[in-house]
Amino acid sequence: MLENSIVPVPLQAYLIIAAFLFCTGVWGLINSRNAVRVLMSIELMLNAVNINLMSFSSYIDGSVIRGQVFSIFVITVAAAEAAVGLAILLSLYRNRVTIDMESFNLLKW
């Protein structure tokens, strides 16, 4: 009885969720002055990409796991990005005692 009541989630639902996550990440990236929030916004955008990869992979051909492999690759890159970003932020915080993005002008001429 339960097997017949399971309705598959349509592709559009995944795309809407991914678009919402991606737009939230872009909004946080543009509007935030806190460096940790900027890193979190980038992570949201990468997770939206992962949702799209997984949904398209299962929608096109559910037996091939290409989307899952790409998602694992993106998660690995995101973890490395977060580790490097947090290390840079810790170094900047030790020197400047702030994480405000407006006060970082080390690379400006």
Side-chain angles (χ1 to χ4, degrees):
M1 184 71 179
L2 289 176
E3 295 175 6
N4 293 334
S5 65
I6 297 174
V7 178
V9 179
L11 178 65
Q12 290 83 10
Y14 291 115
L15 295 180
I16 289 171
I17 290 173
F20 176 74
L21 272 179
F22 193 82
C23 290
T24 304
V26 168
W27 182 81
L29 188 68
I30 291 172
N31 288 331
S32 180
R33 296 174 67 187
N34 188 338
V36 175
R37 287 186 189 157
V38 169
L39 284 177
M40 289 171 52
S41 298
I42 292 171
E43 294 295 324
L44 272 179
M45 292 166 52
L46 289 174
N47 283 330
V49 170
N50 283 337
I51 290 173
N52 277 339
L53 286 172
M54 295 287 288
S55 61
F56 279 119
S57 174
S58 65
Y59 179 73
I60 292 173
D61 188 7
S63 64
V64 181
I65 57 169
R66 284 186 218 142
Q68 290 86 344
V69 172
F70 282 129
S71 295
I72 290 172
F73 179 73
V74 171
I75 289 170
T76 305
V77 170
E81 172 261 334
V84 171
L86 287 175
I88 291 171
L89 284 179
L90 278 175
S91 176
L92 285 173
Y93 182 75
R94 286 180 183 158
N95 291 330
R96 302 282 174 122
V97 194
T98 182
I99 53 173
D100 187 14
M101 295 291 285
E102 298 293 326
S103 64
F104 299 149
N105 57 1
L106 296 173
L107 298 178
K108 291 183 180 175
W109 289 92

